[in-house]
Each structure stands twice: as structure tokens, then as C-alpha cells.
Amino acid sequence: MAARFTGGRQLRVLDVGAARGSQALRLARAGHKVTGVESDSALLSAARSALAAEPEDIRRRVRLLEEDGRETGAHFLPGTFDVVLCHDALMHVAEPDPLLAGLARVLATGGLLSILIRNADARAMGPAAAGDWTAALAALGPPEAAEAPETPELQGGAGPRGRPLRADRPATLRTTLSGIGAPLHAWYGVGLFTEVTGKAVPPVAGAEFERIMAAEERAGRADPYRAVAPLLHLCGVRD
């Protein structure tokens, strides 16, 4: 966002899957106007509590709605937002294309569609890093198969409520983004070193934290590292 939108203008941001609101609040503190949508009532309640603790000028810049991100077309006009974030929603839906098409529709020309996906091309990396070779082999599929199975269970594992999480191939998402008028502009690997096993990383601070972030940032922008990151950050631009 900072690289694409210069000059300090206030951006209209839609945050789909806002969860507890940390991303929406961070953007509001930076001066942007944010609409956060979240279908989980408990998460939305936590977001509203966090927003209530903010200064009045920040509270005025945030609107939180309890709704499904797939219904954006029913609630917002085309071109309503400069930036649409979908960082914790795509992995929870069975079919991503309708959701993404709806998000692109409410994006202004030249606007940024930012999505986070589980990387189906790297689904064997986590089990292997954790030493679970049975799961790693299952994720890779039969030796003679050109591609591993497409089941969400093999791709993404289980979510916090035990539901299967989907994963996507970046090549497929590239095609989807072009088809909905928001072709891929840039992409990055996320959590290459800290998320690959799926286990919690002990909290760190200070210089050690900065070194970890520097390593993640550099690897997430560079080939071949980013291609095997467990999460991918894809940015499309509305044409």
C-alpha cells in the first residue's frame, strides 16, 4: 500500500475477514477509512471492544459489520474502495472465484486487491519440517501423479474449529485475478521460516525480532524461497 499509494492520501479500505480488528485498527491509526466485515460474532465482538478503546478520531474512521465477505456486491457499489484486503477468508471457503470476483467489483480502478492464501504448491513442507514423513508423502501424492490431490484436507490441514482449510496454487490464482480484472501485480512468500511447521514460535523482541523479520522479508521476496512458503501474499491491481 505504501509503495503504490503515495502522497499521504486517505484510502478507503475494505477488510474482509477482519477477525479481532488488529489490521483495521492499524490502518485507521495510519489515517485511512476502514470498513471491516467479519461473520464470526465472537471475533466481531472482540474487534468492537478493541475499537472502543481507541481515541475518537480513530473510532470515526472504522466501521465494523457482521456479514459474509461473499455478500459485498449486495452492500457496496462498484468502485467503493481503493484497497480490498482478504487475508483470512479465502482459506475458509470452498470456492474462491465468486468471492474474489465480488471483491474486485467493489474495487476502484487502479485499486489494490490484497489476498493471503495457503500455498498448495508447498503443502508437503510443513509436515516434513515437523518430521511427519507419512503426512509429507500423502501431501505429495502418488509418485506417478503429475499433481498432488486437490482435497482441502491434504492441502491446508484443519482450522481452529476442525474444519478443513483450503489451499490454492499461485498459478491458478494468477489466472483468476486476470479473469476478474485485477491482474497480479506482485507476490510474496509469508512465514517461510516461522510458519512452516504450523507450530507456535516462542515470542521474541528487540534485535532478535528484527533479524527474524529481516530474514522473512528478504526470503519472501526472492526466488526460489518464496515459492515454497506456507502462505503467499498476492496483490492484484484493478484494470
Side-chain angles (χ1 to χ4, degrees):
M1 286 176 58
R4 179 156 187 81
F5 300 100
T6 58
R9 62 180 271 209
Q10 184 184 66
L11 299 173
R12 302 165 298 165
V13 182
L14 175 64
D15 184 8
V16 176
R20 291 177 171 83
S22 58
Q23 187 167 250
L25 290 178
R26 182 181 180 189
L27 291 168
R29 292 180 195 125
H32 305 300
K33 187 174 181 180
V34 187
T35 299
V37 299
E38 176 55 57
S39 60
D40 186 302
S41 58
L43 292 176
L44 187 63
S45 178
R48 285 173 171 159
S49 295
L51 178 61
E54 294 289 326
E56 182 181 355
D57 61 329
I58 293 176
R59 295 199 304 271
R60 286 200 304 264
R61 290 197 288 270
V62 179
R63 182 169 60 145
L64 297 173
L65 305 175
E66 184 171 0
E67 65 177 56
D68 194 312
R70 289 171 289 190
E71 302 299 323
T72 52
H75 298 285
F76 307 110
L77 294 174
T80 298
F81 299 100
D82 304 301
V83 178
V84 174
L85 310 176
C86 183
H87 290 177
D88 191 31
L90 213 62
M91 61 191 73
H92 298 285
V93 300
E95 175 51 57
D97 289 10
L99 170 60
L100 292 175
L103 299 185
R105 179 179 176 273
V106 300
L107 195 61
T109 300
L112 182 69
L113 174 59
S114 174
I115 63 176
L116 189 72
I117 65 168
R118 286 178 173 262
N119 183 9
D121 286 345
R123 59 182 172 268
M125 297 295 292
D132 188 346
W133 301 107
T134 299
L137 287 168
L140 289 170
E144 66 277 6
E147 293 184 346
E150 286 291 339
T151 59
E153 291 86 354
L154 285 180
Q155 287 188 338
R161 298 186 184 126
R163 301 172 186 168
L165 295 178
R166 68 169 293 109
D168 294 281
R169 287 193 165 90
T172 302
L173 265 296
R174 182 189 291 266
T175 300
T176 298
L177 290 173
S178 294
I180 62 176
L184 187 66
H185 173 71
W187 68 281
Y188 313 94
V190 177
L192 182 65
F193 306 123
T194 56
E195 297 279 348
V196 67
T197 65
K199 297 179 180 179
V201 177
V204 294
E208 183 70 4
F209 176 79
E210 295 300 327
R211 284 191 289 268
I212 291 172
M213 292 304 295
E216 288 284 359
E217 175 79 8
R218 289 176 60 182
R221 292 175 176 269
D223 294 321
Y225 302 105
R226 62 178 179 170
V228 294
L231 303 171
L232 296 179
H233 178 202
L234 286 73
C235 300
V237 173
R238 188 78 163 110
D239 59 18

